[in-house]
Amino acid sequence: MQVNHLKKWYWGLGMLFLIFLLDQISKYCILNIVNLPQKGSIPVIPFFNFTMVWNRAITFGMLGQFGSWGSVIFSVSAFVIAASLFIWMIRARKIWVIMSLGAIVGGALGNILDRLRFGAVVDFIHFHVAGWSWYVFNVADSAIVCGVIILLMDAFFGWEE
């Protein structure tokens, strides 16, 4: 391993831990400090609410029919994917690829921990405007989506270092 590559790998690991910590701290605050009602919403600004959702399925509530087995199936699947992405992160050369993979893995680990602790993922960020409402998500979901967008942009545009 080149020393230069090793330094880049640390950036990915740093991003992984940062996203994981931000995700878990935000969920702790929502569950223990904000005291968000289990079935309710707290308006923050006109287009943004804290809305409590226990997501027992995957994105947009898909595959929710697995019931109590869903938590186990989704946790194991997410862990296998996260481990594969972690290996990719270690081998990657481009700093933005390394950091976006770190963000994706950190987000995945945050959601896996929720499923293991609560049997569901804690979602609470809710944007809405003019009758249009985005799905409720969390910090981990945001990091995963942003990381995937960066990876797709790199794949399509082939950015150089």
Side-chain angles (χ1 to χ4, degrees):
M1 240 190 237
Q2 300 171 347
V3 173
N4 191 17
H5 176 66
L6 191 58
K7 288 180 184 176
K8 288 181 184 178
W9 187 80
Y10 286 144
W11 280 99
L13 197 57
M15 181 63 78
L16 185 157
F17 284 118
L18 176 67
I19 295 300
F20 179 80
L21 286 173
L22 288 174
D23 178 63
Q24 291 302 302
I25 289 169
S26 67
K27 291 171 181 173
Y28 175 84
C29 289
I30 284 297
L31 293 174
N32 297 296
I33 296 172
V34 174
N35 221 2
L36 190 61
Q38 289 299 310
K39 291 191 178 189
S41 217
I42 298 174
V44 179
I45 52 179
F47 57 88
F48 173 70
N49 293 356
F50 287 141
T51 302
M52 188 64 212
V53 174
W54 290 98
N55 186 355
R56 299 187 190 303
I58 58 173
T59 303
F60 306 117
M62 294 186 302
L63 303 178
Q65 72 270 18
F66 289 117
S68 60
W69 278 100
S71 181
V72 174
I73 293 167
F74 301 143
S75 294
V76 170
S77 300
F79 184 79
V80 168
I81 294 167
S84 301
L85 293 175
F86 185 79
I87 292 168
W88 180 11
M89 183 185 84
I90 292 170
R91 294 179 177 173
R93 298 283 180 218
K94 297 178 182 176
I95 190 71
W96 52 81
V97 170
I98 292 167
M99 291 184 71
S100 46
L101 288 166
I104 294 168
V105 173
L109 292 176
N111 284 342
I112 290 169
L113 183 59
D114 284 5
R115 289 191 191 282
L116 295 175
R117 289 176 60 207
F118 307 120
V121 174
V122 177
D123 288 336
F124 60 92
I125 300 170
H126 182 207
F127 286 99
H128 53 88
V129 65
W132 181 83
S133 179
W134 190 248
Y135 72 99
V136 181
F137 58 98
N138 59 41
V139 173
D141 298 337
S142 299
I144 292 168
V145 168
C146 291
V148 168
I149 289 170
I150 292 169
L151 290 177
L152 288 173
M153 289 174 60
D154 180 64
F156 286 121
F157 301 116
W159 296 324
E160 294 301 320
E161 241 343 287

